[in-house]
Amino acid sequence: MHIDTAISSRKSVRRFLDTPVERATIMHILQVASRTPSGSNIQPWKVHVVAGTAKDQLCQRLLDTVDHGKSDPPEYHYYPQNWFEPYLDRRRRCGFGLYATLGISRDDKAKREAQARRNFHFFDAPVGLFITMDRRLETGSFMDCGMFIQSIMLTARGQGLHTCPQAAFAWYHTLIRDELKLDENSLLLCGIALGYEDTQAPENGFITERESAESFTTFYGF
């Protein structure tokens, strides 16, 4: 797959088929992604892959915790503490667009919560990945890990797979750290659902908008 096609066809898939993904395919994706650049080549990322009974057990613990209304204070702020434009409007259009695609009204709290709950079994994907880094590292390593996550998603497209990056897991870092036996310096950044897209699912037809390159680019000396 040409890199342009991989980038333009990548999307957040929110319903997967139960078709297994071979371990060799996962290792290929991660090996290619290992070529991601990082400051001074420190390669700060760690990957924890769950599937089968290990994934089922972890997801059940997560769902039980979610259903009891428990969560952790975040260890890092993914979003601004006080939203402002144009970012607030973009976020709202994304959320409202997804729920509209699913036929969920803005005031249907039960269905909105049920959809959000699906995060915690990786939207039915057969494979889940957790990305961590050492909490003693600095902001530059967040940038490095972001590029690594993108590399995983694009390499997955090259294998005919889809993904969904999921920050939602960061609010359950204590449980995940316990389940995966991670050390205290492991900072959970996000999860990634990995598998084959259910092309019949309406939510997978929702494609988010993008600003034109002209709107965010300034040229100098041209």
Side-chain angles (χ1 to χ4, degrees), residues 29-212:
I29 291 169
L30 297 177
Q31 192 62 55
V32 173
S34 75
R35 295 302 307 172
T36 298
S38 59
S40 297
N41 196 35
I42 66 171
Q43 305 169 67
W45 46 78
K46 296 288 185 182
V47 184
H48 313 270
V49 185
V50 293
T53 55
K55 172 178 166 287
D56 292 343
Q57 178 176 306
L58 172 59
C59 289
Q60 189 56 61
R61 285 190 64 187
L62 282 165
L63 290 168
D64 289 345
T65 301
V66 169
D67 290 344
H68 283 87
K70 299 176 182 177
S71 63
D72 296 320
E75 295 190 289
Y76 70 95
H77 294 297
Y78 190 98
Y79 295 112
Q81 299 302 287
N82 296 295
W83 284 93
F84 55 96
E85 299 298 352
Y87 311 108
L88 177 60
D89 179 61
R90 291 174 185 171
R91 185 190 192 212
R92 284 174 169 167
R93 291 206 309 268
C94 178
F96 293 157
L98 173 62
Y99 289 129
T101 300
L102 288 165
I104 300 173
S105 65
R106 296 186 186 184
D107 58 355
D108 193 335
K109 183 178 179 182
K111 287 186 178 180
R112 290 166 70 93
E113 289 179 350
Q115 177 61 27
R117 189 177 184 272
R118 300 194 69 253
N119 272 280
F120 302 104
H121 49 79
F122 293 97
F123 299 109
D124 302 326
V127 177
L129 289 72
F130 291 105
I131 310 301
T132 65
M133 70 177 226
D134 194 303
R135 69 179 66 253
R136 294 169 293 183
L137 295 171
E138 289 290 349
T139 305
S141 291
F142 280 87
M143 296 169 62
D144 298 340
C145 287
M147 290 188 284
F148 178 68
I149 291 163
Q150 174 81 331
S151 294
I152 289 174
M153 294 190 292
L154 297 184
T155 309
R157 289 299 301 123
Q159 297 297 307
L161 296 160
H162 270 285
T163 55
C164 185
Q166 298 172 257
F169 290 110
W171 278 261
Y172 299 89
H173 54 85
T174 300
L175 185 157
I176 294 168
R177 185 176 293 108
D178 176 68
E179 186 72 20
L180 301 182
K181 305 297 186 287
L182 305 180
D183 64 58
E184 63 180 14
N185 288 321
S186 294
L187 175 64
L188 177 64
L189 299 178
C190 70
I192 305 174
L194 174 68
Y196 293 93
E197 176 189 7
D198 181 348
T199 58
Q200 302 304 307
E203 56 264 53
N204 291 338
F206 173 63
I207 307 297
T208 52
E209 320 172 329
R210 290 296 188 272
E211 299 295 314
S212 68

